[in-house]
Amino acid sequence: MKLSDIADNAGSRKKRMRVGRGIGSGKGKTSGRGGKGQTARSGVRIKGFEGGQMPMHRRLPKRGFNNIFRLEFAEINLDRLQDAIDNKLIDAGATVNAESLVKAGVLRRTKDGVRLLGRGEIKAKLTIEVHGASKSAVAAVEKAGGTVKILAPVKKEEGEAA
């Protein structure tokens, strides 16, 4: 073994293609860009152009819209609430509201309010104050002996983005 014998494996290093270096290189003259015109120039792209035919993005109808008054609720299910009570994160005697859920670490943020959903079951007798609740969630809480108070939605400030 000599230093001069050490070499890379065959094919592990490939030389870059040198375009525009004569007809014999296979990429001479126009360098693989075809004839003259817009696409032969640098920095030009005809995106979405279909040769004069009406492009796909203009043939399809426009659909939908974004409601700027839409409220985004933080959702919590009954089973998550029951787990938090079982793990002593939430005091069953106190009123359960958005602030107490965030403080307990059950929710990360309240967004535009909290909405109670009915997955799972609740055993504790709770007083819950939320901005929205499904009918099944309200029925389950009341069956357990608790109450659900629906608060008015949080008003967004003038100029605040939706």
Side-chain angles (χ1 to χ4, degrees), residues 76-99:
I76 184 164
N77 274 291
L78 294 175
D79 55 0
R80 291 263 323 271
L81 210 52
Q82 187 61 51
D83 285 345
I85 293 163
D86 294 342
N87 296 331
K88 307 278 191 276
L89 295 173
I90 295 173
D91 178 28
T95 301
V96 177
N97 55 21
E99 291 75 41

PDB file of all heavy atoms in Angstrom, residues 76-99:
ATOM      1  N   ILE A  76     -62.163  21.798  24.838  1.00  0.00           N
ATOM      2  CA  ILE A  76     -61.802  20.833  25.879  1.00  0.00           C
ATOM      3  C   ILE A  76     -62.938  19.832  26.022  1.00  0.00           C
ATOM      4  O   ILE A  76     -64.120  20.208  26.033  1.00  0.00           O
ATOM      5  CB  ILE A  76     -61.474  21.534  27.221  1.00  0.00           C
ATOM      6  CG1 ILE A  76     -61.015  20.498  28.234  1.00  0.00           C
ATOM      7  CG2 ILE A  76     -62.631  22.347  27.740  1.00  0.00           C
ATOM      8  CD1 ILE A  76     -60.322  21.073  29.420  1.00  0.00           C
ATOM      9  N   ASN A  77     -62.585  18.556  26.109  1.00  0.00           N
ATOM     10  CA  ASN A  77     -63.578  17.499  26.252  1.00  0.00           C
ATOM     11  C   ASN A  77     -63.742  17.138  27.717  1.00  0.00           C
ATOM     12  O   ASN A  77     -62.878  17.433  28.556  1.00  0.00           O
ATOM     13  CB  ASN A  77     -63.139  16.261  25.465  1.00  0.00           C
ATOM     14  CG  ASN A  77     -63.578  16.341  24.019  1.00  0.00           C
ATOM     15  OD1 ASN A  77     -64.758  16.264  23.709  1.00  0.00           O
ATOM     16  ND2 ASN A  77     -62.616  16.509  23.111  1.00  0.00           N
ATOM     17  N   LEU A  78     -64.865  16.491  28.027  1.00  0.00           N
ATOM     18  CA  LEU A  78     -65.167  16.121  29.410  1.00  0.00           C
ATOM     19  C   LEU A  78     -64.125  15.175  29.998  1.00  0.00           C
ATOM     20  O   LEU A  78     -63.792  15.271  31.173  1.00  0.00           O
ATOM     21  CB  LEU A  78     -66.556  15.468  29.476  1.00  0.00           C
ATOM     22  CG  LEU A  78     -67.742  16.380  29.135  1.00  0.00           C
ATOM     23  CD1 LEU A  78     -69.028  15.580  29.113  1.00  0.00           C
ATOM     24  CD2 LEU A  78     -67.848  17.525  30.128  1.00  0.00           C
ATOM     25  N   ASP A  79     -63.601  14.241  29.168  1.00  0.00           N
ATOM     26  CA  ASP A  79     -62.615  13.290  29.694  1.00  0.00           C
ATOM     27  C   ASP A  79     -61.316  13.989  30.122  1.00  0.00           C
ATOM     28  O   ASP A  79     -60.719  13.623  31.130  1.00  0.00           O
ATOM     29  CB  ASP A  79     -62.335  12.164  28.691  1.00  0.00           C
ATOM     30  CG  ASP A  79     -61.906  12.662  27.325  1.00  0.00           C
ATOM     31  OD1 ASP A  79     -61.817  13.887  27.144  1.00  0.00           O
ATOM     32  OD2 ASP A  79     -61.683  11.822  26.426  1.00  0.00           O
ATOM     33  N   ARG A  80     -60.902  15.041  29.381  1.00  0.00           N
ATOM     34  CA  ARG A  80     -59.711  15.813  29.784  1.00  0.00           C
ATOM     35  C   ARG A  80     -59.965  16.544  31.099  1.00  0.00           C
ATOM     36  O   ARG A  80     -59.089  16.653  31.947  1.00  0.00           O
ATOM     37  CB  ARG A  80     -59.353  16.851  28.717  1.00  0.00           C
ATOM     38  CG  ARG A  80     -58.837  16.329  27.415  1.00  0.00           C
ATOM     39  CD  ARG A  80     -57.330  16.293  27.233  1.00  0.00           C
ATOM     40  NE  ARG A  80     -56.552  17.375  27.807  1.00  0.00           N
ATOM     41  CZ  ARG A  80     -56.259  18.507  27.198  1.00  0.00           C
ATOM     42  NH1 ARG A  80     -56.714  18.747  25.994  1.00  0.00           N
ATOM     43  NH2 ARG A  80     -55.500  19.398  27.782  1.00  0.00           N
ATOM     44  N   LEU A  81     -61.180  17.053  31.253  1.00  0.00           N
ATOM     45  CA  LEU A  81     -61.558  17.757  32.481  1.00  0.00           C
ATOM     46  C   LEU A  81     -61.547  16.790  33.664  1.00  0.00           C
ATOM     47  O   LEU A  81     -61.023  17.117  34.736  1.00  0.00           O
ATOM     48  CB  LEU A  81     -62.954  18.357  32.286  1.00  0.00           C
ATOM     49  CG  LEU A  81     -63.309  19.635  33.019  1.00  0.00           C
ATOM     50  CD1 LEU A  81     -62.279  20.724  32.783  1.00  0.00           C
ATOM     51  CD2 LEU A  81     -64.680  20.122  32.608  1.00  0.00           C
ATOM     52  N   GLN A  82     -62.093  15.585  33.462  1.00  0.00           N
ATOM     53  CA  GLN A  82     -62.126  14.573  34.530  1.00  0.00           C
ATOM     54  C   GLN A  82     -60.713  14.125  34.897  1.00  0.00           C
ATOM     55  O   GLN A  82     -60.404  13.941  36.076  1.00  0.00           O
ATOM     56  CB  GLN A  82     -62.984  13.378  34.090  1.00  0.00           C
ATOM     57  CG  GLN A  82     -63.226  12.344  35.176  1.00  0.00           C
ATOM     58  CD  GLN A  82     -63.963  12.909  36.380  1.00  0.00           C
ATOM     59  OE1 GLN A  82     -64.997  13.532  36.251  1.00  0.00           O
ATOM     60  NE2 GLN A  82     -63.430  12.692  37.574  1.00  0.00           N
ATOM     61  N   ASP A  83     -59.826  13.964  33.900  1.00  0.00           N
ATOM     62  CA  ASP A  83     -58.428  13.594  34.169  1.00  0.00           C
ATOM     63  C   ASP A  83     -57.744  14.653  35.025  1.00  0.00           C
ATOM     64  O   ASP A  83     -56.984  14.331  35.942  1.00  0.00           O
ATOM     65  CB  ASP A  83     -57.648  13.419  32.856  1.00  0.00           C
ATOM     66  CG  ASP A  83     -58.001  12.128  32.139  1.00  0.00           C
ATOM     67  OD1 ASP A  83     -58.622  11.254  32.778  1.00  0.00           O
ATOM     68  OD2 ASP A  83     -57.654  12.001  30.949  1.00  0.00           O
ATOM     69  N   ALA A  84     -57.996  15.942  34.705  1.00  0.00           N
ATOM     70  CA  ALA A  84     -57.393  17.040  35.458  1.00  0.00           C
ATOM     71  C   ALA A  84     -57.870  17.034  36.905  1.00  0.00           C
ATOM     72  O   ALA A  84     -57.085  17.309  37.826  1.00  0.00           O
ATOM     73  CB  ALA A  84     -57.720  18.371  34.797  1.00  0.00           C
ATOM     74  N   ILE A  85     -59.142  16.692  37.129  1.00  0.00           N
ATOM     75  CA  ILE A  85     -59.676  16.608  38.488  1.00  0.00           C
ATOM     76  C   ILE A  85     -59.066  15.419  39.218  1.00  0.00           C
ATOM     77  O   ILE A  85     -58.671  15.517  40.388  1.00  0.00           O
ATOM     78  CB  ILE A  85     -61.219  16.519  38.457  1.00  0.00           C
ATOM     79  CG1 ILE A  85     -61.800  17.841  37.932  1.00  0.00           C
ATOM     80  CG2 ILE A  85     -61.790  16.204  39.833  1.00  0.00           C
ATOM     81  CD1 ILE A  85     -63.223  17.757  37.490  1.00  0.00           C
ATOM     82  N   ASP A  86     -58.961  14.276  38.525  1.00  0.00           N
ATOM     83  CA  ASP A  86     -58.366  13.076  39.120  1.00  0.00           C
ATOM     84  C   ASP A  86     -56.911  13.304  39.505  1.00  0.00           C
ATOM     85  O   ASP A  86     -56.426  12.777  40.507  1.00  0.00           O
ATOM     86  CB  ASP A  86     -58.465  11.883  38.153  1.00  0.00           C
ATOM     87  CG  ASP A  86     -59.913  11.457  37.913  1.00  0.00           C
ATOM     88  OD1 ASP A  86     -60.780  11.836  38.726  1.00  0.00           O
ATOM     89  OD2 ASP A  86     -60.162  10.759  36.903  1.00  0.00           O
ATOM     90  N   ASN A  87     -56.182  14.083  38.694  1.00  0.00           N
ATOM     91  CA  ASN A  87     -54.765  14.368  38.956  1.00  0.00           C
ATOM     92  C   ASN A  87     -54.568  15.577  39.866  1.00  0.00           C
ATOM     93  O   ASN A  87     -53.450  16.081  39.986  1.00  0.00           O
ATOM     94  CB  ASN A  87     -54.018  14.585  37.634  1.00  0.00           C
ATOM     95  CG  ASN A  87     -54.006  13.332  36.786  1.00  0.00           C
ATOM     96  OD1 ASN A  87     -54.042  12.226  37.294  1.00  0.00           O
ATOM     97  ND2 ASN A  87     -53.991  13.505  35.467  1.00  0.00           N
ATOM     98  N   LYS A  88     -55.655  16.071  40.455  1.00  0.00           N
ATOM     99  CA  LYS A  88     -55.630  17.195  41.406  1.00  0.00           C
ATOM    100  C   LYS A  88     -55.095  18.496  40.794  1.00  0.00           C
ATOM    101  O   LYS A  88     -54.532  19.331  41.488  1.00  0.00           O
ATOM    102  CB  LYS A  88     -54.793  16.846  42.655  1.00  0.00           C
ATOM    103  CG  LYS A  88     -55.181  15.564  43.366  1.00  0.00           C
ATOM    104  CD  LYS A  88     -56.348  15.787  44.288  1.00  0.00           C
ATOM    105  CE  LYS A  88     -56.604  14.624  45.209  1.00  0.00           C
ATOM    106  NZ  LYS A  88     -57.401  13.559  44.624  1.00  0.00           N
ATOM    107  N   LEU A  89     -55.259  18.660  39.480  1.00  0.00           N
ATOM    108  CA  LEU A  89     -54.859  19.910  38.828  1.00  0.00           C
ATOM    109  C   LEU A  89     -55.946  20.970  38.998  1.00  0.00           C
ATOM    110  O   LEU A  89     -55.657  22.155  39.073  1.00  0.00           O
ATOM    111  CB  LEU A  89     -54.594  19.680  37.336  1.00  0.00           C
ATOM    112  CG  LEU A  89     -53.427  18.769  36.976  1.00  0.00           C
ATOM    113  CD1 LEU A  89     -53.400  18.495  35.486  1.00  0.00           C
ATOM    114  CD2 LEU A  89     -52.109  19.387  37.408  1.00  0.00           C
ATOM    115  N   ILE A  90     -57.196  20.502  39.040  1.00  0.00           N
ATOM    116  CA  ILE A  90     -58.337  21.411  39.175  1.00  0.00           C
ATOM    117  C   ILE A  90     -59.093  21.038  40.446  1.00  0.00           C
ATOM    118  O   ILE A  90     -59.344  19.849  40.711  1.00  0.00           O
ATOM    119  CB  ILE A  90     -59.286  21.305  37.953  1.00  0.00           C
ATOM    120  CG1 ILE A  90     -58.571  21.779  36.693  1.00  0.00           C
ATOM    121  CG2 ILE A  90     -60.545  22.112  38.168  1.00  0.00           C
ATOM    122  CD1 ILE A  90     -59.354  21.552  35.424  1.00  0.00           C
ATOM    123  N   ASP A  91     -59.462  22.052  41.235  1.00  0.00           N
ATOM    124  CA  ASP A  91     -60.267  21.841  42.430  1.00  0.00           C
ATOM    125  C   ASP A  91     -61.729  21.715  42.005  1.00  0.00           C
ATOM    126  O   ASP A  91     -62.289  22.631  41.387  1.00  0.00           O
ATOM    127  CB  ASP A  91     -60.073  23.024  43.394  1.00  0.00           C
ATOM    128  CG  ASP A  91     -60.930  22.886  44.637  1.00  0.00           C
ATOM    129  OD1 ASP A  91     -61.229  21.734  45.014  1.00  0.00           O
ATOM    130  OD2 ASP A  91     -61.292  23.927  45.223  1.00  0.00           O
ATOM    131  N   ALA A  92     -62.355  20.591  42.329  1.00  0.00           N
ATOM    132  CA  ALA A  92     -63.731  20.338  41.905  1.00  0.00           C
ATOM    133  C   ALA A  92     -64.723  21.287  42.567  1.00  0.00           C
ATOM    134  O   ALA A  92     -65.796  21.547  42.033  1.00  0.00           O
ATOM    135  CB  ALA A  92     -64.106  18.887  42.201  1.00  0.00           C
ATOM    136  N   GLY A  93     -64.372  21.829  43.733  1.00  0.00           N
ATOM    137  CA  GLY A  93     -65.270  22.730  44.444  1.00  0.00           C
ATOM    138  C   GLY A  93     -65.320  24.121  43.843  1.00  0.00           C
ATOM    139  O   GLY A  93     -66.332  24.806  43.917  1.00  0.00           O
ATOM    140  N   ALA A  94     -64.222  24.545  43.235  1.00  0.00           N
ATOM    141  CA  ALA A  94     -64.141  25.903  42.686  1.00  0.00           C
ATOM    142  C   ALA A  94     -64.796  25.966  41.298  1.00  0.00           C
ATOM    143  O   ALA A  94     -65.041  24.937  40.665  1.00  0.00           O
ATOM    144  CB  ALA A  94     -62.680  26.337  42.583  1.00  0.00           C
ATOM    145  N   THR A  95     -65.049  27.188  40.848  1.00  0.00           N
ATOM    146  CA  THR A  95     -65.604  27.384  39.514  1.00  0.00           C
ATOM    147  C   THR A  95     -64.518  27.126  38.477  1.00  0.00           C
ATOM    148  O   THR A  95     -63.409  27.638  38.587  1.00  0.00           O
ATOM    149  CB  THR A  95     -66.129  28.826  39.356  1.00  0.00           C
ATOM    150  OG1 THR A  95     -67.120  29.050  40.358  1.00  0.00           O
ATOM    151  CG2 THR A  95     -66.737  29.039  38.003  1.00  0.00           C
ATOM    152  N   VAL A  96     -64.859  26.312  37.472  1.00  0.00           N
ATOM    153  CA  VAL A  96     -63.912  26.013  36.398  1.00  0.00           C
ATOM    154  C   VAL A  96     -64.158  27.000  35.266  1.00  0.00           C
ATOM    155  O   VAL A  96     -65.242  27.051  34.701  1.00  0.00           O
ATOM    156  CB  VAL A  96     -64.086  24.561  35.892  1.00  0.00           C
ATOM    157  CG1 VAL A  96     -63.155  24.286  34.734  1.00  0.00           C
ATOM    158  CG2 VAL A  96     -63.861  23.573  37.014  1.00  0.00           C
ATOM    159  N   ASN A  97     -63.149  27.837  34.960  1.00  0.00           N
ATOM    160  CA  ASN A  97     -63.263  28.786  33.850  1.00  0.00           C
ATOM    161  C   ASN A  97     -61.970  28.776  33.038  1.00  0.00           C
ATOM    162  O   ASN A  97     -61.057  27.983  33.323  1.00  0.00           O
ATOM    163  CB  ASN A  97     -63.606  30.189  34.367  1.00  0.00           C
ATOM    164  CG  ASN A  97     -62.614  30.678  35.395  1.00  0.00           C
ATOM    165  OD1 ASN A  97     -61.486  30.199  35.463  1.00  0.00           O
ATOM    166  ND2 ASN A  97     -63.021  31.628  36.210  1.00  0.00           N
ATOM    167  N   ALA A  98     -61.896  29.633  32.042  1.00  0.00           N
ATOM    168  CA  ALA A  98     -60.738  29.653  31.130  1.00  0.00           C
ATOM    169  C   ALA A  98     -59.436  29.890  31.894  1.00  0.00           C
ATOM    170  O   ALA A  98     -58.429  29.215  31.657  1.00  0.00           O
ATOM    171  CB  ALA A  98     -60.935  30.720  30.069  1.00  0.00           C
ATOM    172  N   GLU A  99     -59.449  30.855  32.823  1.00  0.00           N
ATOM    173  CA  GLU A  99     -58.228  31.199  33.562  1.00  0.00           C
ATOM    174  C   GLU A  99     -57.742  30.015  34.406  1.00  0.00           C
ATOM    175  O   GLU A  99     -56.553  29.735  34.451  1.00  0.00           O
ATOM    176  CB  GLU A  99     -58.464  32.420  34.467  1.00  0.00           C
ATOM    177  CG  GLU A  99     -58.669  33.731  33.723  1.00  0.00           C
ATOM    178  CD  GLU A  99     -60.036  33.859  33.059  1.00  0.00           C
ATOM    179  OE1 GLU A  99     -61.042  33.454  33.676  1.00  0.00           O
ATOM    180  OE2 GLU A  99     -60.081  34.348  31.921  1.00  0.00           O
TER     181      GLU A  99
END
